[in-house]
Amino acid sequence: MVGAPASQSELFLYEHAGRRETIYLTTERSAESIRSVLNARGHAATDSIDVVEVEASDVRAAVESALDSIPPESMLIVDPADALERLDHWSYVSLLKRLKSRMVQTGGIALLHCLDGLTPPAERDATLYHADVVFSLSTRIDDDEVENWLAVPKFRGYRALNDTIRLDLGERIVVDTSRNIS
């Protein structure tokens, strides 16, 4: 998931957290703030989300530890992945290969949240290259309206979407069909 820091791209993480047993690694926000948002979104009754606050200097070890212990058919969320993308190239590529291998072994899903700000980390290209699917959220602010558009420019092994999808990002993610003409 790629989105600007001022967008609501983390809504995608919240929508998917808990649909499977989830390890949610937060690298910049506190675990308490993530839990608070998840609870407000109705995840309070589930014990399937383990939120772990990770220091940027320990992010590789935290991901390695999560990969060692991740249960079958689980989800690993790294929010944001920017600290990982600041590792040296070959260490990061090695970690991405291990991540992919472990997800295949366990039938799991990894969701890396990439902030598309003014200074993307040096290894962003490696993240996008190794990803099987890339979701890209664009936010446009016009005079009196905020518009959010989702693109799926990459879907490895399948056809990527040709068109963008307008979204209404509120309490939930809703596809805006108001401008569709049949």
Side-chain angles (χ1 to χ4, degrees), residues 1-180:
M1 178 74 210
V2 180
S7 74
Q8 290 187 272
S9 56
E10 63 272 344
L11 283 177
F12 289 87
L13 310 178
Y14 306 151
E15 286 282 323
H16 292 288
R19 291 188 180 192
R20 294 170 169 236
E21 194 167 340
T22 302
I23 299 173
Y24 192 120
L25 302 179
T26 174
T27 62
E28 293 193 17
R29 295 175 55 210
S30 71
E32 182 180 327
S33 69
I34 299 295
R35 281 190 208 98
S36 175
V37 171
L38 292 172
N39 287 339
R41 297 183 57 78
H43 291 297
T46 182
D47 294 327
S48 65
I49 305 170
D50 183 17
V51 180
V52 180
E53 189 172 336
V54 178
E55 295 296 324
S57 60
D58 296 332
V59 70
R60 181 182 176 137
V63 170
E64 295 274 5
S65 176
L67 292 175
D68 289 340
S69 65
I70 197 160
E73 298 184 6
S74 295
M75 177 173 288
L76 174 64
I77 295 174
V78 182
D79 176 26
D82 294 42
L84 283 175
E85 294 173 320
R86 288 187 177 90
L87 295 172
D88 74 83
H89 179 74
W90 294 114
S91 293
Y92 186 51
V93 167
S94 174
L95 182 64
L96 288 171
K97 288 178 181 179
R98 179 156 187 258
L99 174 66
K100 171 66 175 187
S101 175
R102 191 71 176 130
M103 293 301 105
V104 169
Q105 289 171 357
T106 63
I109 296 171
L111 216 132
L112 304 181
H113 185 208
C114 301
L115 297 177
D116 193 20
L118 298 175
T119 55
E123 294 304 320
R124 176 61 47 83
D125 285 349
T127 303
L128 299 176
Y129 177 72
H130 284 269
D132 288 333
V133 180
V134 174
F135 297 99
S136 180
L137 181 67
S138 298
T139 302
R140 287 182 276 211
I141 303 171
D142 292 327
D143 294 329
D144 62 346
E145 185 177 35
V146 177
E147 292 182 349
N148 292 288
W149 296 88
L150 180 69
V152 183
K154 180 179 182 183
F155 194 170
R156 182 172 282 134
Y158 300 92
R159 184 176 171 185
L161 299 181
N162 289 330
D163 299 320
T164 57
I165 301 165
R166 185 166 179 188
L167 302 176
D168 180 10
L169 300 180
E171 296 265 332
R172 298 275 184 226
I173 298 170
V174 177
V175 175
D176 181 352
T177 59
S178 65
R179 295 188 185 175
N180 290 356

